[in-house]
Amino acid sequence: MSDLRYISTRQGSRTPLERLTFEQVMLAGLARDGGLYVPERWPVLSPADIAALRGLPYAELATRIMAPFVGDTVDAATFSRLVREAYASFDDAEVVRLKALPVDGLHLLELFHGPTFAFKDVALQLLGRLLDALLTRSGHRARIVGATSGDTGSAAIEAVRDRKAIDIFMLHPQGRVSEVQRRQMTTVLSPNVHNIAIEGTFDDCQDLAKACFNDLAFRDRHHLTAVNSINFARVMAQIVYYFHAALQLGAPDRPVSFCVPTGNFGNIYAGYAARAMGLPIERLLIASNSNDILTRFIESGEQRITGVTPTFSPSMDIQVSSNFERYLFDLFDRDGKALAAAMESFRASGNMNVSAAQLARARATFDAGRLDDGDTLRAIADAQRETGELLDPHTAVGYAVARQKRGDRAVPMVVLSTAHPAKFPDAVKQATGEAPPMPARLAALAAKPERYQTLPNDIGALKRLMDDAAVFA
Ligand SMILES: *Cc1c(COP(=O)(O)O)cnc(C)c1O
């Protein structure tokens, strides 16, 4: 097995490169220089290699696509077992489901059949198992501290529940997450899961989590780690479904385009990676809500920070898309020093410009469109009328942008469906007049016992609770 290494997007180009193994990247998350890790090269599949993947069951395809990234960090039999176990947790035997829509040659790729009904399960179900295997092997335990405004906490909790070497402390703002969102977290009674309701806002929760990381002695004592979207293993796991969909639509003989409801750029960056690996992807469409920094970038070549507006698609309410730096690294011809300088000035001034030549290159791969809240509700209603499908607000943004920017109708366009509509019943009801049907597993949450602790917005109280939690074996 080739020995693929990883480098930071901000690494100086003159000093000898620091080349990390997959295991080091998994455990480190963010690079010490503030950059993100990327593979030093993309493994490339020939058309014949791609054709040979046709018809494989999802877990088998996933094992083959990810193998070059993992290298010999995990032996082949163990890796294949972890992948099979991760995807056995999905409701749908196909894991992700491709549906043809009766409109414009569009297809829907449903990524929400995992334990928490959102696409993040696809990556996190594997990440939790991989992290646990690596920690167990090295004889370490780690603790995850995270803050959630409601949507992503449950995916992280489901990823690590009952894992042997990981404990998770998830902070949510008391009384400010929906009942379903709270119950998705607090009905997980595994001893390694600690739900904490903070008497404060989501920002307070984030500040508390950050303060834990900034106290280096505390961070080392607890072996703190994060499972957020900058971990490269999440990108790696997401590459698989681009292959899965494109193979069903005729790849490698036929190109395919994708439209991706985008927040932190992690999902669509995996599509970019699939393209770099040789998958014939014609265009990648960035679908934004009103928080449209990336759509404005594709229009103007300028990345400019503005405030965050709350929308019906909260998982796309971002100010800056953290994974975009990975793409910029390539746009800067992998000159980490130049990118580090550009990112520092971007953080200080709130804007950055790329050259006309760089913008032209970006536009050769990406196109972008946006949808405000009013149009999002209309898109949910339109999609239901035109296709019979009930879409969640994130997917509806993708559906409408795919129609706006359809392009060559001979090329199939796949809209990634990132959440089950029942996760966002209020918006769906406002759009269609009817609440979406609740999957039995979500409805059952109402009758399950909950467990969580409540703490004041006080870092001392949080640290005492974590110090006292006697979960170290
Ligand atoms: C996280 C999320 C997104 C955005 O994905 P990124 O990888 O951050 O671009 C879109 N839709 C849903 C439902 C999500 O949970």
Side-chain angles (χ1 to χ4, degrees), residues 89 114-117 120-121 123-129 131-132 144-164 166-173 177 180-197 226-228 234 423 441 445 450-453:
S89 73
T116 73
F117 300 96
K120 292 191 175 63
D121 290 329
L124 283 170
Q125 282 296 311
L126 179 64
L127 183 65
R129 286 170 171 83
L131 196 58
D132 195 53
I144 291 168
V145 181
T148 182
S149 57
D151 213 39
T152 55
S154 57
I157 287 172
E158 284 292 340
V160 303
R161 66 181 296 172
D162 305 322
R163 303 270 89 83
K164 290 193 288 287
I166 309 170
D167 301 294
I168 187 164
F169 294 80
M170 187 55 68
L171 316 179
H172 70 266
V177 301
V180 169
Q181 286 174 331
R182 188 190 72 239
R183 287 181 170 275
Q184 279 194 297
M185 300 190 282
T186 58
T187 57
V188 178
L189 303 181
S190 313
N192 68 329
V193 172
H194 303 262
N195 277 294
I196 302 166
V227 289
N228 51 25
R234 285 181 61 173
K423 282 202 92 167
R441 204 152 42 75
L445 291 176
E450 294 183 79
R451 192 188 71 214
Y452 62 98
Q453 308 177 61

Side-chain angles (χ1 to χ4, degrees), residues 177-251:
V177 301
S178 76
E179 177 165 353
V180 169
Q181 286 174 331
R182 188 190 72 239
R183 287 181 170 275
Q184 279 194 297
M185 300 190 282
T186 58
T187 57
V188 178
L189 303 181
S190 313
N192 68 329
V193 172
H194 303 262
N195 277 294
I196 302 166
I198 297 291
E199 295 168 348
T201 62
F202 170 57
D203 285 336
D204 295 332
C205 294
Q206 266 193 318
D207 289 345
L208 289 171
K210 265 188 215 150
C212 289
F213 280 93
N214 289 340
D215 177 344
L216 296 182
F218 182 84
R219 170 179 173 166
D220 289 346
R221 184 160 80 245
H222 288 275
H223 300 280
L224 289 192
T225 185
V227 289
N228 51 25
S229 77
I230 53 159
N231 195 310
F232 183 79
R234 285 181 61 173
V235 173
M236 171 186 86
Q238 291 166 186
I239 294 171
V240 177
Y241 48 73
Y242 287 89
F243 275 88
H244 187 69
L247 283 162
Q248 289 178 65
L249 293 170

Side-chain angles (χ1 to χ4, degrees), residues 254-333:
R254 193 176 173 213
V256 183
S257 291
F258 289 89
C259 180
V260 187
T262 294
N264 271 323
F265 201 73
N267 198 354
I268 196 166
Y269 179 73
Y272 171 78
R275 191 176 193 259
M277 291 170 73
L279 191 67
I281 294 180
E282 179 147 297
R283 270 190 326 155
L284 288 164
L285 252 176
I286 300 166
S288 312
N289 63 24
S290 308
N291 300 290
D292 61 346
I293 184 167
L294 292 178
T295 296
R296 285 183 281 117
F297 173 82
I298 294 294
E299 288 167 353
S300 68
E302 181 189 47
Q303 222 196 160
R304 176 181 288 278
I305 298 178
T306 60
V308 180
T309 313
T311 71
F312 288 133
S313 41
S315 299
M316 292 151 65
D317 292 346
I318 46 87
Q319 193 163 35
V320 173
S321 302
S322 45
N323 278 289
F324 194 55
E325 177 165 341
R326 290 194 156 113
Y327 173 66
L328 286 174
F329 185 54
D330 283 355
L331 204 54
F332 278 65
D333 296 315

